Amino acid sequence: MSSARYPGAKPSLIVRKLHPENQETPIHFITGDEIDHKMFYRRNHFSYPTLTYSNYWLPINGSVVSPRIFSVQDILKLPSRTITAVLECAGNKRSLFEPKVFGEQWENGGISQGRWKGVPLRTLLELTGIQAGATEVVVEGYDYGKRTDLDNIYTYARSLPLEKALHPDTIIAYAYNDQPIPFKHGYPLRLIVPQWYGMASVKWIKQVSIVDSPFKGPFQSIDYMYYPNKENDNNSFPVTTINVNSTIQRPLNMEVLDTGKHIIKGIAWTGKGFISKVEISTDFGKTWSYANIMNQDQERYRWFSWSYEWVVLEKGDYTIMVKATDSHNQSQPTSPFWNRKGYGYNAITKIKIRIE
Ligand code: MTE
């Protein structure tokens, strides 16, 4: 039906929880590649922090040669880097796991993309120097609170291995789509770690500390670990790189369509490399065809939009399946890797359609 008949009809965020605020991007109704911040998903572990901007400083301390405290002005003067990157919550699609897992029941909208501008963390660490023996960089946010499973109060803090922290595209961002970062997304400074799930991109940075032993904060020793077993923690390992994945934006799951020509469209993304092919099956996986990938420029960190023209002449119920493959030859698996906290769901994408 023509949208002209619904003037002013606009998508909105999809609420998962309000306190703390967790809302999904209406991914099926997003058209561009740079999501307006109002439609950017929001994932918070605690209440929003209270910050005094006039008194905002960024300390870098720990195993550095000379600790420094940077003002935002200092940071704005340094050479910048702009990166368009997918930010995907590790819990995106959690609701699809079988058996079900506890936690925020994200559907497909725990993902967004846009243009972040900032200073490579590396540049700041070159100014402070790093002591021999340093292994990780801990980035702490201003938000804090009590977890359900522990007694103490914790801030949101996570570490990166030195190698990832020093990657020139790991940036301390101060702008999103050419505007100061919106408060809910980490103003004035947030970390952006391309290729890793969103938990690594710490918002509202309070301080950066270089350490020489593994950081054990609960947001990486309890949460954001894959636990393959239901009953125990055996064989657990950390959540890091985004898995190859895709989402069908149109048609919608369980939509009723008529016979004829329909455009199936969506996005595909991966943490390592780029999307090399997107395959579609409209007969429950018996036969597969290639979808047309729009951005062929092999740009890193971005999602790839794809589309496929489906001509359907017979009435009935159909399952549409999408399988993305990346340049490291990783494909979406037939079944997801089940894990107790429900991270990294990336099984072949499926929707059902009725043709009448
Ligand atoms: N940073 C802080 N300080 N506090 C948080 O709760 N959540 C993380 C990450 N950084 C979080 C944080 C998680 S799990 C994700 S997926 C992303 O921020 C979400 O970023 P967004 O709310 O800007 O979409």
Side-chain angles (χ1 to χ4, degrees), residues 13 17-23 37-38 40-49 51 53 87 116 143 180-190 201-204:
L13 293 174
K17 198 189 241 177
L18 285 178
H19 307 289
E21 188 180 5
N22 285 293
Q23 302 215 50
H37 75 88
K38 294 194 199 83
F40 204 106
Y41 78 97
R42 300 171 184 170
R43 172 55 176 132
N44 296 296
H45 290 268
F46 300 125
S47 307
Y48 289 110
L51 297 180
Y53 302 114
L87 201 69
W116 300 93
D143 50 333
I181 297 179
F183 171 69
K184 292 191 168 181
H185 297 287
Y187 180 85
L189 300 177
R190 90 172 284 176
S201 294
V202 178
K203 302 189 271 191
W204 312 290

Side-chain angles (χ1 to χ4, degrees), residues 11-276:
S12 54
L13 293 174
I14 303 154
V15 184
R16 290 281 149 243
K17 198 189 241 177
L18 285 178
H19 307 289
E21 188 180 5
N22 285 293
Q23 302 215 50
E24 292 195 19
T25 293
I27 196 72
H28 301 101
F29 302 94
I30 292 292
T31 44
D33 282 340
E34 288 177 357
I35 294 198
D36 184 288
H37 75 88
K38 294 194 199 83
M39 291 298 125
F40 204 106
Y41 78 97
R42 300 171 184 170
R43 172 55 176 132
N44 296 296
H45 290 268
F46 300 125
S47 307
Y48 289 110
T50 325
L51 297 180
T52 339
Y53 302 114
S54 53
N55 204 15
Y56 182 89
W57 300 89
L58 174 64
I60 301 197
N61 52 39
S63 295
V64 290
V65 178
S66 41
R68 295 253 319 239
I69 297 180
F70 294 92
S71 70
V72 175
Q73 287 310 317
D74 296 334
I75 288 176
L76 291 173
K77 279 187 217 136
L78 292 166
S80 69
R81 195 151 179 112
T82 300
I83 280 153
T84 301
V86 162
L87 201 69
E88 185 191 12
C89 183
N92 192 26
K93 304 193 182 187
R94 178 179 287 133
S95 61
L96 300 177
F97 276 107
E98 290 292 345
K100 293 270 179 214
V101 294
F102 288 93
E104 254 56 68
Q105 292 299 300
W106 296 95
E107 296 185 358
N108 298 292
I111 183 170
S112 288
Q113 178 175 270
R115 205 162 8 97
W116 300 93
K117 180 178 179 188
V119 171
L121 175 56
R122 182 192 183 101
T123 306
L124 302 183
L125 297 178
E126 278 164 2
L127 292 170
T128 59
I130 299 174
Q131 285 181 14
T135 52
E136 296 186 0
V137 177
V138 181
V139 180
E140 184 183 5
Y142 263 105
D143 50 333
Y144 62 90
K146 208 188 139 332
R147 295 168 50 100
T148 46
D149 55 348
L150 298 171
D151 287 336
N152 295 337
I153 300 281
Y154 288 88
T155 48
Y156 187 85
R158 289 197 36 105
S159 74
L160 285 177
L162 210 50
E163 194 196 354
K164 190 71 182 164
L166 293 177
H167 190 287
D169 292 338
T170 297
I171 59 170
I172 303 237
Y174 47 76
Y176 178 71
N177 289 351
D178 298 325
Q179 297 294 321
I181 297 179
F183 171 69
K184 292 191 168 181
H185 297 287
Y187 180 85
L189 300 177
R190 90 172 284 176
L191 191 65
I192 290 292
V193 185
Q195 301 183 314
W196 280 35
Y197 279 111
M199 74 281 148
S201 294
V202 178
K203 302 189 271 191
W204 312 290
I205 302 176
K206 183 178 182 187
Q207 64 172 338
V208 174
S209 311
I210 319 304
V211 295
D212 50 17
S213 59
F215 176 68
K216 296 272 188 224
F219 295 99
Q220 70 190 66
S221 59
I222 300 176
D223 297 340
Y224 302 110
M225 294 284 289
Y226 289 109
Y227 299 102
N229 301 315
K230 196 161 188 225
E231 312 296 348
N232 58 53
D233 292 356
N234 295 350
N235 304 319
S236 64
F237 61 100
V239 174
T240 57
T241 311
I242 296 175
N243 292 327
V244 61
N245 213 334
S246 67
T247 281
I248 302 170
Q249 292 171 298
R250 288 301 171 85
L252 301 172
N253 189 25
M254 305 305 282
E255 201 168 333
V256 181
L257 302 171
D258 50 12
T259 52
K261 199 192 322 177
H262 299 285
I263 301 294
I264 304 172
K265 72 179 202 77
I267 52 174
W269 65 95
T270 185
K272 262 175 102 186
F274 54 89
I275 294 295
S276 53

